[in-house]
Amino acid sequence: NVAQIGGQNVFWKFISDIAYIQAPVDVILSEQHCELLAANPDLETPGQVCKLPGQKCRDPVNIPEHSLWNETKGYDLNDCTLRKSWSTAYLASPVTERKNVWFSIETTSLTIATLVISPQKA
């Protein structure tokens, strides 16, 4: 989404979680990643899982129906989740090779407005 503020194009997006600020690009992931890791304990990375026969590994950013987007399991450090596996694969790549949906060398400014709503005792 784009708007003009002070004569500059502003690209805005509502985000419900800070994790969405840097969504990885070009990180492929099998939709059965966690199940395949459990069945093959010698495998560690999405790249290794994707080499298994018959795997259809795709970049979740390019596939709106990828099961990562419908995952209801939380981000548990001791459990395998698609989101955790996706983030871990991104962070394991060299910094110079990481691509994401928000920041690039052309980024000249960033403004973040937040609204935090938290429960309060009556």
Side-chain angles (χ1 to χ4, degrees):
N1 299 318
V2 67
Q4 285 242 332
I5 296 179
Q8 292 186 349
N9 282 340
V10 176
F11 299 90
W12 61 273
K13 180 171 180 142
F14 173 79
I15 56 170
S16 59
D17 188 319
I18 197 70
Y20 293 110
I21 286 182
Q22 273 197 317
V25 175
D26 294 338
V27 176
I28 59 170
L29 190 64
S30 167
E31 297 195 43
Q32 293 80 35
H33 178 79
C34 292
E35 294 85 357
L36 292 166
L37 278 184
N40 299 279
D42 54 319
L43 302 178
E44 295 178 3
T45 67
Q48 292 172 328
V49 170
C50 288
K51 290 180 182 173
L52 292 172
Q55 283 312 296
K56 187 176 183 181
C57 294
R58 306 178 298 172
D59 182 352
V61 169
N62 297 321
I63 311 296
E65 66 276 2
H66 196 287
S67 56
L68 178 139
W69 304 120
N70 297 314
E71 188 173 59
T72 57
K73 192 189 277 189
Y75 195 101
D76 186 340
L77 293 178
N78 299 316
D79 228 356
C80 182
T81 67
L82 292 176
R83 181 165 303 283
K84 179 182 172 189
S85 300
W86 191 45
S87 297
T88 301
Y90 172 72
L91 294 172
S93 64
V95 173
T96 56
E97 295 176 17
R98 293 180 191 166
K99 291 192 241 173
N100 59 67
V101 296
W102 281 90
F103 306 112
S104 72
I105 196 71
E106 292 86 19
T107 302
T108 58
S109 66
L110 176 68
T111 303
I112 298 176
T114 62
L115 169 65
V116 178
I117 300 171
S118 60
Q120 303 291 318
K121 288 187 176 183

mmCIF file of all heavy atoms in Angstrom, residues 4-55:
data_model
loop_
_atom_site.group_PDB
_atom_site.id
_atom_site.type_symbol
_atom_site.label_atom_id
_atom_site.label_comp_id
_atom_site.label_asym_id
_atom_site.label_seq_id
_atom_site.Cartn_x
_atom_site.Cartn_y
_atom_site.Cartn_z
ATOM 1 N N GLN A 4 0.963 9.226 0.094
ATOM 2 C CA GLN A 4 1.903 10.345 0.046
ATOM 3 C C GLN A 4 1.802 11.119 1.351
ATOM 4 O O GLN A 4 0.713 11.521 1.766
ATOM 5 C CB GLN A 4 1.581 11.265 -1.130
ATOM 6 C CG GLN A 4 1.986 10.684 -2.456
ATOM 7 C CD GLN A 4 3.038 11.537 -3.137
ATOM 8 O OE1 GLN A 4 3.110 12.734 -2.927
ATOM 9 N NE2 GLN A 4 3.861 10.908 -3.934
ATOM 10 N N ILE A 5 2.930 11.318 1.991
ATOM 11 C CA ILE A 5 3.005 12.126 3.204
ATOM 12 C C ILE A 5 4.188 13.071 3.030
ATOM 13 O O ILE A 5 5.313 12.625 2.794
ATOM 14 C CB ILE A 5 3.190 11.262 4.469
ATOM 15 C CG1 ILE A 5 1.972 10.362 4.671
ATOM 16 C CG2 ILE A 5 3.419 12.153 5.687
ATOM 17 C CD1 ILE A 5 2.062 9.444 5.869
ATOM 18 N N GLY A 6 3.935 14.356 3.107
ATOM 19 C CA GLY A 6 4.996 15.340 2.936
ATOM 20 C C GLY A 6 5.673 15.253 1.588
ATOM 21 O O GLY A 6 6.867 15.508 1.472
ATOM 22 N N GLY A 7 4.917 14.861 0.569
ATOM 23 C CA GLY A 7 5.476 14.777 -0.778
ATOM 24 C C GLY A 7 6.291 13.525 -1.044
ATOM 25 O O GLY A 7 6.870 13.380 -2.117
ATOM 26 N N GLN A 8 6.362 12.614 -0.083
ATOM 27 C CA GLN A 8 7.120 11.377 -0.277
ATOM 28 C C GLN A 8 6.172 10.187 -0.296
ATOM 29 O O GLN A 8 5.161 10.175 0.405
ATOM 30 C CB GLN A 8 8.131 11.174 0.851
ATOM 31 C CG GLN A 8 9.256 12.168 0.873
ATOM 32 C CD GLN A 8 10.288 11.799 1.938
ATOM 33 O OE1 GLN A 8 10.059 10.937 2.775
ATOM 34 N NE2 GLN A 8 11.425 12.453 1.892
ATOM 35 N N ASN A 9 6.537 9.204 -1.123
ATOM 36 C CA ASN A 9 5.776 7.960 -1.112
ATOM 37 C C ASN A 9 6.039 7.237 0.195
ATOM 38 O O ASN A 9 7.178 7.097 0.624
ATOM 39 C CB ASN A 9 6.184 7.052 -2.273
ATOM 40 C CG ASN A 9 5.566 7.491 -3.577
ATOM 41 O OD1 ASN A 9 4.571 8.212 -3.592
ATOM 42 N ND2 ASN A 9 6.139 7.066 -4.679
ATOM 43 N N VAL A 10 4.980 6.792 0.825
ATOM 44 C CA VAL A 10 5.073 6.041 2.069
ATOM 45 C C VAL A 10 4.388 4.711 1.836
ATOM 46 O O VAL A 10 3.238 4.665 1.398
ATOM 47 C CB VAL A 10 4.385 6.807 3.221
ATOM 48 C CG1 VAL A 10 4.401 5.990 4.488
ATOM 49 C CG2 VAL A 10 5.057 8.155 3.440
ATOM 50 N N PHE A 11 5.089 3.645 2.105
ATOM 51 C CA PHE A 11 4.539 2.309 1.944
ATOM 52 C C PHE A 11 4.141 1.826 3.335
ATOM 53 O O PHE A 11 4.985 1.632 4.197
ATOM 54 C CB PHE A 11 5.572 1.379 1.304
ATOM 55 C CG PHE A 11 5.984 1.849 -0.057
ATOM 56 C CD1 PHE A 11 7.064 2.707 -0.214
ATOM 57 C CD2 PHE A 11 5.287 1.462 -1.178
ATOM 58 C CE1 PHE A 11 7.437 3.160 -1.465
ATOM 59 C CE2 PHE A 11 5.639 1.906 -2.435
ATOM 60 C CZ PHE A 11 6.719 2.755 -2.577
ATOM 61 N N TRP A 12 2.857 1.648 3.550
ATOM 62 C CA TRP A 12 2.391 1.299 4.877
ATOM 63 C C TRP A 12 1.832 -0.110 4.893
ATOM 64 O O TRP A 12 1.411 -0.643 3.873
ATOM 65 C CB TRP A 12 1.332 2.288 5.372
ATOM 66 C CG TRP A 12 0.104 2.340 4.528
ATOM 67 C CD1 TRP A 12 -0.111 3.114 3.423
ATOM 68 C CD2 TRP A 12 -1.072 1.546 4.683
ATOM 69 N NE1 TRP A 12 -1.351 2.877 2.902
ATOM 70 C CE2 TRP A 12 -1.964 1.912 3.655
ATOM 71 C CE3 TRP A 12 -1.460 0.577 5.592
ATOM 72 C CZ2 TRP A 12 -3.217 1.333 3.521
ATOM 73 C CZ3 TRP A 12 -2.712 0.003 5.453
ATOM 74 C CH2 TRP A 12 -3.577 0.387 4.434
ATOM 75 N N LYS A 13 1.871 -0.708 6.048
ATOM 76 C CA LYS A 13 1.333 -2.047 6.221
ATOM 77 C C LYS A 13 0.977 -2.237 7.685
ATOM 78 O O LYS A 13 1.752 -1.862 8.561
ATOM 79 C CB LYS A 13 2.360 -3.088 5.794
ATOM 80 C CG LYS A 13 1.868 -4.501 5.939
ATOM 81 C CD LYS A 13 2.820 -5.484 5.312
ATOM 82 C CE LYS A 13 2.268 -6.868 5.481
ATOM 83 N NZ LYS A 13 2.496 -7.707 4.361
ATOM 84 N N PHE A 14 -0.182 -2.792 7.940
ATOM 85 C CA PHE A 14 -0.560 -3.145 9.305
ATOM 86 C C PHE A 14 0.102 -4.467 9.639
ATOM 87 O O PHE A 14 0.021 -5.427 8.879
ATOM 88 C CB PHE A 14 -2.078 -3.285 9.438
ATOM 89 C CG PHE A 14 -2.485 -3.816 10.790
ATOM 90 C CD1 PHE A 14 -2.514 -2.967 11.884
ATOM 91 C CD2 PHE A 14 -2.798 -5.144 10.952
ATOM 92 C CE1 PHE A 14 -2.863 -3.457 13.134
ATOM 93 C CE2 PHE A 14 -3.154 -5.638 12.196
ATOM 94 C CZ PHE A 14 -3.184 -4.795 13.282
ATOM 95 N N ILE A 15 0.793 -4.521 10.757
ATOM 96 C CA ILE A 15 1.375 -5.786 11.195
ATOM 97 C C ILE A 15 0.888 -6.088 12.601
ATOM 98 O O ILE A 15 0.783 -5.205 13.437
ATOM 99 C CB ILE A 15 2.921 -5.779 11.149
ATOM 100 C CG1 ILE A 15 3.484 -4.622 11.966
ATOM 101 C CG2 ILE A 15 3.428 -5.731 9.721
ATOM 102 C CD1 ILE A 15 4.961 -4.690 12.167
ATOM 103 N N SER A 16 0.571 -7.333 12.840
ATOM 104 C CA SER A 16 0.062 -7.721 14.152
ATOM 105 C C SER A 16 1.151 -8.316 15.026
ATOM 106 O O SER A 16 0.928 -8.605 16.188
ATOM 107 C CB SER A 16 -1.070 -8.731 13.988
ATOM 108 O OG SER A 16 -0.594 -9.866 13.286
ATOM 109 N N ASP A 17 2.332 -8.514 14.472
ATOM 110 C CA ASP A 17 3.418 -9.139 15.215
ATOM 111 C C ASP A 17 4.736 -8.598 14.678
ATOM 112 O O ASP A 17 4.922 -8.501 13.462
ATOM 113 C CB ASP A 17 3.340 -10.656 15.017
ATOM 114 C CG ASP A 17 4.309 -11.417 15.892
ATOM 115 O OD1 ASP A 17 5.457 -10.976 16.060
ATOM 116 O OD2 ASP A 17 3.918 -12.473 16.405
ATOM 117 N N ILE A 18 5.656 -8.275 15.542
ATOM 118 C CA ILE A 18 6.945 -7.711 15.132
ATOM 119 C C ILE A 18 7.707 -8.678 14.216
ATOM 120 O O ILE A 18 8.539 -8.270 13.417
ATOM 121 C CB ILE A 18 7.784 -7.312 16.372
ATOM 122 C CG1 ILE A 18 8.911 -6.360 15.997
ATOM 123 C CG2 ILE A 18 8.342 -8.531 17.077
ATOM 124 C CD1 ILE A 18 8.454 -5.011 15.608
ATOM 125 N N ALA A 19 7.408 -9.980 14.296
ATOM 126 C CA ALA A 19 8.093 -10.961 13.458
ATOM 127 C C ALA A 19 7.856 -10.713 11.972
ATOM 128 O O ALA A 19 8.637 -11.140 11.133
ATOM 129 C CB ALA A 19 7.628 -12.373 13.818
ATOM 130 N N TYR A 20 6.779 -10.002 11.626
ATOM 131 C CA TYR A 20 6.484 -9.755 10.223
ATOM 132 C C TYR A 20 7.323 -8.634 9.621
ATOM 133 O O TYR A 20 7.294 -8.419 8.431
ATOM 134 C CB TYR A 20 5.001 -9.408 10.041
ATOM 135 C CG TYR A 20 4.101 -10.557 10.351
ATOM 136 C CD1 TYR A 20 3.299 -10.550 11.480
ATOM 137 C CD2 TYR A 20 4.073 -11.676 9.530
ATOM 138 C CE1 TYR A 20 2.482 -11.615 11.770
ATOM 139 C CE2 TYR A 20 3.250 -12.750 9.824
ATOM 140 C CZ TYR A 20 2.456 -12.720 10.948
ATOM 141 O OH TYR A 20 1.654 -13.764 11.239
ATOM 142 N N ILE A 21 8.062 -7.901 10.437
ATOM 143 C CA ILE A 21 8.817 -6.774 9.902
ATOM 144 C C ILE A 21 9.908 -7.240 8.947
ATOM 145 O O ILE A 21 10.192 -6.590 7.962
ATOM 146 C CB ILE A 21 9.391 -5.908 11.036
ATOM 147 C CG1 ILE A 21 8.252 -5.119 11.661
ATOM 148 C CG2 ILE A 21 10.461 -4.967 10.524
ATOM 149 C CD1 ILE A 21 8.669 -4.194 12.754
ATOM 150 N N GLN A 22 10.527 -8.371 9.223
ATOM 151 C CA GLN A 22 11.556 -8.868 8.313
ATOM 152 C C GLN A 22 11.225 -10.286 7.868
ATOM 153 O O GLN A 22 11.869 -11.241 8.301
ATOM 154 C CB GLN A 22 12.931 -8.846 8.973
ATOM 155 C CG GLN A 22 13.644 -7.548 8.817
ATOM 156 C CD GLN A 22 15.122 -7.684 9.105
ATOM 157 O OE1 GLN A 22 15.528 -8.324 10.049
ATOM 158 N NE2 GLN A 22 15.921 -7.068 8.276
ATOM 159 N N ALA A 23 10.261 -10.438 7.015
ATOM 160 C CA ALA A 23 9.943 -11.761 6.487
ATOM 161 C C ALA A 23 11.011 -12.156 5.478
ATOM 162 O O ALA A 23 11.309 -11.402 4.565
ATOM 163 C CB ALA A 23 8.568 -11.756 5.832
ATOM 164 N N PRO A 24 11.617 -13.331 5.646
ATOM 165 C CA PRO A 24 12.652 -13.766 4.711
ATOM 166 C C PRO A 24 12.122 -13.963 3.289
ATOM 167 O O PRO A 24 10.975 -14.312 3.090
ATOM 168 C CB PRO A 24 13.104 -15.108 5.284
ATOM 169 C CG PRO A 24 12.672 -15.094 6.707
ATOM 170 C CD PRO A 24 11.437 -14.256 6.744
ATOM 171 N N VAL A 25 12.983 -13.744 2.322
ATOM 172 C CA VAL A 25 12.682 -13.993 0.919
ATOM 173 C C VAL A 25 13.686 -15.025 0.426
ATOM 174 O O VAL A 25 14.841 -15.026 0.844
ATOM 175 C CB VAL A 25 12.806 -12.693 0.088
ATOM 176 C CG1 VAL A 25 12.617 -12.966 -1.387
ATOM 177 C CG2 VAL A 25 11.804 -11.662 0.574
ATOM 178 N N ASP A 26 13.283 -15.877 -0.467
ATOM 179 C CA ASP A 26 14.134 -16.923 -1.043
ATOM 180 C C ASP A 26 14.550 -17.987 -0.039
ATOM 181 O O ASP A 26 15.612 -18.588 -0.165
ATOM 182 C CB ASP A 26 15.380 -16.335 -1.719
ATOM 183 C CG ASP A 26 15.043 -15.492 -2.930
ATOM 184 O OD1 ASP A 26 13.944 -15.695 -3.496
ATOM 185 O OD2 ASP A 26 15.860 -14.641 -3.304
ATOM 186 N N VAL A 27 13.742 -18.236 0.980
ATOM 187 C CA VAL A 27 13.962 -19.352 1.892
ATOM 188 C C VAL A 27 12.873 -20.363 1.583
ATOM 189 O O VAL A 27 11.698 -20.097 1.820
ATOM 190 C CB VAL A 27 13.892 -18.919 3.372
ATOM 191 C CG1 VAL A 27 14.018 -20.124 4.291
ATOM 192 C CG2 VAL A 27 14.975 -17.896 3.683
ATOM 193 N N ILE A 28 13.269 -21.486 1.003
ATOM 194 C CA ILE A 28 12.260 -22.482 0.630
ATOM 195 C C ILE A 28 12.006 -23.429 1.799
ATOM 196 O O ILE A 28 12.884 -23.685 2.610
ATOM 197 C CB ILE A 28 12.664 -23.263 -0.639
ATOM 198 C CG1 ILE A 28 13.987 -23.989 -0.444
ATOM 199 C CG2 ILE A 28 12.716 -22.342 -1.841
ATOM 200 C CD1 ILE A 28 14.330 -24.951 -1.551
ATOM 201 N N LEU A 29 10.784 -23.918 1.871
ATOM 202 C CA LEU A 29 10.363 -24.735 2.996
ATOM 203 C C LEU A 29 9.298 -25.723 2.540
ATOM 204 O O LEU A 29 8.367 -25.345 1.838
ATOM 205 C CB LEU A 29 9.789 -23.801 4.073
ATOM 206 C CG LEU A 29 9.484 -24.352 5.443
ATOM 207 C CD1 LEU A 29 10.758 -24.833 6.131
ATOM 208 C CD2 LEU A 29 8.824 -23.279 6.295
ATOM 209 N N SER A 30 9.466 -26.969 2.954
ATOM 210 C CA SER A 30 8.449 -27.981 2.687
ATOM 211 C C SER A 30 7.282 -27.754 3.639
ATOM 212 O O SER A 30 7.478 -27.409 4.801
ATOM 213 C CB SER A 30 9.019 -29.374 2.924
ATOM 214 O OG SER A 30 7.987 -30.341 2.951
ATOM 215 N N GLU A 31 6.082 -27.963 3.158
ATOM 216 C CA GLU A 31 4.914 -27.805 4.027
ATOM 217 C C GLU A 31 4.834 -28.929 5.061
ATOM 218 O O GLU A 31 4.137 -28.816 6.047
ATOM 219 C CB GLU A 31 3.645 -27.717 3.186
ATOM 220 C CG GLU A 31 3.696 -26.477 2.304
ATOM 221 C CD GLU A 31 2.372 -26.096 1.703
ATOM 222 O OE1 GLU A 31 1.355 -26.150 2.431
ATOM 223 O OE2 GLU A 31 2.358 -25.725 0.529
ATOM 224 N N GLN A 32 5.575 -29.996 4.851
ATOM 225 C CA GLN A 32 5.635 -31.120 5.802
ATOM 226 C C GLN A 32 6.973 -31.133 6.545
ATOM 227 O O GLN A 32 7.421 -32.159 7.041
ATOM 228 C CB GLN A 32 5.460 -32.457 5.068
ATOM 229 C CG GLN A 32 4.100 -32.673 4.470
ATOM 230 C CD GLN A 32 3.953 -31.939 3.139
ATOM 231 O OE1 GLN A 32 4.906 -31.836 2.380
ATOM 232 N NE2 GLN A 32 2.777 -31.420 2.874
ATOM 233 N N HIS A 33 7.629 -29.984 6.629
ATOM 234 C CA HIS A 33 8.977 -29.887 7.189
ATOM 235 C C HIS A 33 9.101 -30.542 8.568
ATOM 236 O O HIS A 33 9.974 -31.384 8.788
ATOM 237 C CB HIS A 33 9.410 -28.418 7.260
ATOM 238 C CG HIS A 33 10.754 -28.227 7.864
ATOM 239 N ND1 HIS A 33 11.914 -28.441 7.161
ATOM 240 C CD2 HIS A 33 11.129 -27.863 9.115
ATOM 241 C CE1 HIS A 33 12.952 -28.214 7.945
ATOM 242 N NE2 HIS A 33 12.499 -27.855 9.133
ATOM 243 N N CYS A 34 8.251 -30.180 9.503
ATOM 244 C CA CYS A 34 8.373 -30.695 10.869
ATOM 245 C C CYS A 34 8.117 -32.198 10.956
ATOM 246 O O CYS A 34 8.818 -32.909 11.683
ATOM 247 C CB CYS A 34 7.444 -29.919 11.808
ATOM 248 S SG CYS A 34 7.968 -28.196 12.015
ATOM 249 N N GLU A 35 7.145 -32.673 10.203
ATOM 250 C CA GLU A 35 6.861 -34.107 10.187
ATOM 251 C C GLU A 35 8.046 -34.885 9.610
ATOM 252 O O GLU A 35 8.416 -35.946 10.112
ATOM 253 C CB GLU A 35 5.600 -34.410 9.369
ATOM 254 C CG GLU A 35 4.323 -33.854 9.971
ATOM 255 C CD GLU A 35 4.051 -32.393 9.598
ATOM 256 O OE1 GLU A 35 4.876 -31.759 8.900
ATOM 257 O OE2 GLU A 35 3.011 -31.880 10.033
ATOM 258 N N LEU A 36 8.647 -34.339 8.551
ATOM 259 C CA LEU A 36 9.792 -35.008 7.930
ATOM 260 C C LEU A 36 11.021 -34.972 8.829
ATOM 261 O O LEU A 36 11.800 -35.930 8.870
ATOM 262 C CB LEU A 36 10.098 -34.385 6.569
ATOM 263 C CG LEU A 36 9.024 -34.645 5.512
ATOM 264 C CD1 LEU A 36 9.205 -33.729 4.310
ATOM 265 C CD2 LEU A 36 9.050 -36.101 5.090
ATOM 266 N N LEU A 37 11.213 -33.900 9.577
ATOM 267 C CA LEU A 37 12.322 -33.848 10.542
ATOM 268 C C LEU A 37 12.133 -34.898 11.627
ATOM 269 O O LEU A 37 13.089 -35.550 12.037
ATOM 270 C CB LEU A 37 12.419 -32.466 11.189
ATOM 271 C CG LEU A 37 13.142 -31.375 10.431
ATOM 272 C CD1 LEU A 37 13.212 -30.117 11.276
ATOM 273 C CD2 LEU A 37 14.528 -31.787 10.008
ATOM 274 N N ALA A 38 10.915 -35.050 12.100
ATOM 275 C CA ALA A 38 10.635 -36.041 13.143
ATOM 276 C C ALA A 38 10.891 -37.461 12.631
ATOM 277 O O ALA A 38 11.397 -38.307 13.362
ATOM 278 C CB ALA A 38 9.199 -35.898 13.631
ATOM 279 N N ALA A 39 10.570 -37.707 11.371
ATOM 280 C CA ALA A 39 10.750 -39.034 10.779
ATOM 281 C C ALA A 39 12.193 -39.295 10.342
ATOM 282 O O ALA A 39 12.580 -40.447 10.147
ATOM 283 C CB ALA A 39 9.813 -39.202 9.585
ATOM 284 N N ASN A 40 12.983 -38.239 10.173
ATOM 285 C CA ASN A 40 14.375 -38.361 9.710
ATOM 286 C C ASN A 40 15.281 -37.535 10.628
ATOM 287 O O ASN A 40 15.689 -36.427 10.287
ATOM 288 C CB ASN A 40 14.503 -37.839 8.273
ATOM 289 C CG ASN A 40 13.659 -38.623 7.300
ATOM 290 O OD1 ASN A 40 14.039 -39.679 6.856
ATOM 291 N ND2 ASN A 40 12.484 -38.088 6.978
ATOM 292 N N PRO A 41 15.618 -38.062 11.814
ATOM 293 C CA PRO A 41 16.370 -37.283 12.793
ATOM 294 C C PRO A 41 17.768 -36.857 12.331
ATOM 295 O O PRO A 41 18.369 -35.968 12.925
ATOM 296 C CB PRO A 41 16.463 -38.196 14.012
ATOM 297 C CG PRO A 41 15.857 -39.481 13.656
ATOM 298 C CD PRO A 41 15.242 -39.375 12.301
ATOM 299 N N ASP A 42 18.281 -37.475 11.263
ATOM 300 C CA ASP A 42 19.603 -37.091 10.755
ATOM 301 C C ASP A 42 19.562 -35.790 9.951
ATOM 302 O O ASP A 42 20.590 -35.192 9.672
ATOM 303 C CB ASP A 42 20.192 -38.214 9.901
ATOM 304 C CG ASP A 42 19.251 -38.657 8.791
ATOM 305 O OD1 ASP A 42 18.040 -38.759 9.041
ATOM 306 O OD2 ASP A 42 19.732 -38.904 7.668
ATOM 307 N N LEU A 43 18.360 -35.330 9.603
ATOM 308 C CA LEU A 43 18.215 -34.079 8.865
ATOM 309 C C LEU A 43 18.115 -32.909 9.839
ATOM 310 O O LEU A 43 17.574 -33.043 10.926
ATOM 311 C CB LEU A 43 16.965 -34.113 7.984
ATOM 312 C CG LEU A 43 16.891 -35.230 6.952
ATOM 313 C CD1 LEU A 43 15.577 -35.153 6.199
ATOM 314 C CD2 LEU A 43 18.058 -35.161 6.002
ATOM 315 N N GLU A 44 18.646 -31.744 9.438
ATOM 316 C CA GLU A 44 18.620 -30.585 10.330
ATOM 317 C C GLU A 44 18.038 -29.336 9.697
ATOM 318 O O GLU A 44 17.436 -28.519 10.376
ATOM 319 C CB GLU A 44 20.041 -30.267 10.811
ATOM 320 C CG GLU A 44 20.650 -31.350 11.665
ATOM 321 C CD GLU A 44 22.069 -31.019 12.091
ATOM 322 O OE1 GLU A 44 22.562 -29.925 11.766
ATOM 323 O OE2 GLU A 44 22.687 -31.872 12.735
ATOM 324 N N THR A 45 18.232 -29.144 8.398
ATOM 325 C CA THR A 45 17.858 -27.875 7.774
ATOM 326 C C THR A 45 16.753 -28.062 6.731
ATOM 327 O O THR A 45 16.571 -29.161 6.197
ATOM 328 C CB THR A 45 19.073 -27.245 7.065
ATOM 329 O OG1 THR A 45 19.439 -28.064 5.953
ATOM 330 C CG2 THR A 45 20.247 -27.094 8.017
ATOM 331 N N PRO A 46 16.044 -26.978 6.404
ATOM 332 C CA PRO A 46 15.049 -27.056 5.331
ATOM 333 C C PRO A 46 15.666 -27.513 4.003
ATOM 334 O O PRO A 46 15.035 -28.252 3.256
ATOM 335 C CB PRO A 46 14.520 -25.627 5.227
ATOM 336 C CG PRO A 46 14.690 -25.073 6.594
ATOM 337 C CD PRO A 46 15.988 -25.678 7.089
ATOM 338 N N GLY A 47 16.895 -27.112 3.738
ATOM 339 C CA GLY A 47 17.560 -27.534 2.503
ATOM 340 C C GLY A 47 17.735 -29.037 2.434
ATOM 341 O O GLY A 47 17.559 -29.648 1.381
ATOM 342 N N GLN A 48 18.087 -29.655 3.571
ATOM 343 C CA GLN A 48 18.235 -31.114 3.608
ATOM 344 C C GLN A 48 16.884 -31.798 3.423
ATOM 345 O O GLN A 48 16.779 -32.792 2.719
ATOM 346 C CB GLN A 48 18.874 -31.536 4.937
ATOM 347 C CG GLN A 48 20.318 -31.108 5.073
ATOM 348 C CD GLN A 48 20.861 -31.353 6.466
ATOM 349 O OE1 GLN A 48 20.136 -31.277 7.456
ATOM 350 N NE2 GLN A 48 22.154 -31.632 6.533
ATOM 351 N N VAL A 49 15.861 -31.266 4.057
ATOM 352 C CA VAL A 49 14.510 -31.833 3.919
ATOM 353 C C VAL A 49 14.048 -31.730 2.475
ATOM 354 O O VAL A 49 13.448 -32.653 1.924
ATOM 355 C CB VAL A 49 13.519 -31.136 4.880
ATOM 356 C CG1 VAL A 49 12.087 -31.534 4.579
ATOM 357 C CG2 VAL A 49 13.875 -31.435 6.329
ATOM 358 N N CYS A 50 14.350 -30.610 1.829
ATOM 359 C CA CYS A 50 13.904 -30.397 0.453
ATOM 360 C C CYS A 50 14.568 -31.341 -0.541
ATOM 361 O O CYS A 50 14.070 -31.520 -1.649
ATOM 362 C CB CYS A 50 14.140 -28.942 0.045
ATOM 363 S SG CYS A 50 12.993 -27.809 0.875
ATOM 364 N N LYS A 51 15.677 -31.950 -0.163
ATOM 365 C CA LYS A 51 16.356 -32.908 -1.047
ATOM 366 C C LYS A 51 15.729 -34.299 -0.996
ATOM 367 O O LYS A 51 16.055 -35.148 -1.803
ATOM 368 C CB LYS A 51 17.845 -32.988 -0.693
ATOM 369 C CG LYS A 51 18.592 -31.723 -1.067
ATOM 370 C CD LYS A 51 20.058 -31.812 -0.706
ATOM 371 C CE LYS A 51 20.750 -30.497 -1.053
ATOM 372 N NZ LYS A 51 22.133 -30.454 -0.589
ATOM 373 N N LEU A 52 14.815 -34.522 -0.057
ATOM 374 C CA LEU A 52 14.135 -35.815 0.007
ATOM 375 C C LEU A 52 13.261 -35.982 -1.232
ATOM 376 O O LEU A 52 12.696 -35.007 -1.736
ATOM 377 C CB LEU A 52 13.265 -35.915 1.266
ATOM 378 C CG LEU A 52 14.008 -35.979 2.603
ATOM 379 C CD1 LEU A 52 13.006 -35.882 3.753
ATOM 380 C CD2 LEU A 52 14.810 -37.262 2.710
ATOM 381 N N PRO A 53 13.140 -37.204 -1.729
ATOM 382 C CA PRO A 53 12.328 -37.441 -2.936
ATOM 383 C C PRO A 53 10.876 -36.990 -2.754
ATOM 384 O O PRO A 53 10.280 -37.179 -1.704
ATOM 385 C CB PRO A 53 12.393 -38.965 -3.121
ATOM 386 C CG PRO A 53 13.552 -39.415 -2.310
ATOM 387 C CD PRO A 53 13.744 -38.416 -1.207
ATOM 388 N N GLY A 54 10.348 -36.347 -3.780
ATOM 389 C CA GLY A 54 8.939 -35.962 -3.806
ATOM 390 C C GLY A 54 8.595 -34.695 -3.048
ATOM 391 O O GLY A 54 7.424 -34.348 -2.937
ATOM 392 N N GLN A 55 9.591 -33.998 -2.513
ATOM 393 C CA GLN A 55 9.295 -32.776 -1.755
ATOM 394 C C GLN A 55 9.021 -31.603 -2.679
ATOM 395 O O GLN A 55 9.724 -31.381 -3.651
ATOM 396 C CB GLN A 55 10.445 -32.430 -0.805
ATOM 397 C CG GLN A 55 10.464 -33.285 0.417
ATOM 398 C CD GLN A 55 9.090 -33.373 1.053
ATOM 399 O OE1 GLN A 55 8.546 -32.389 1.519
ATOM 400 N NE2 GLN A 55 8.517 -34.558 1.072
#
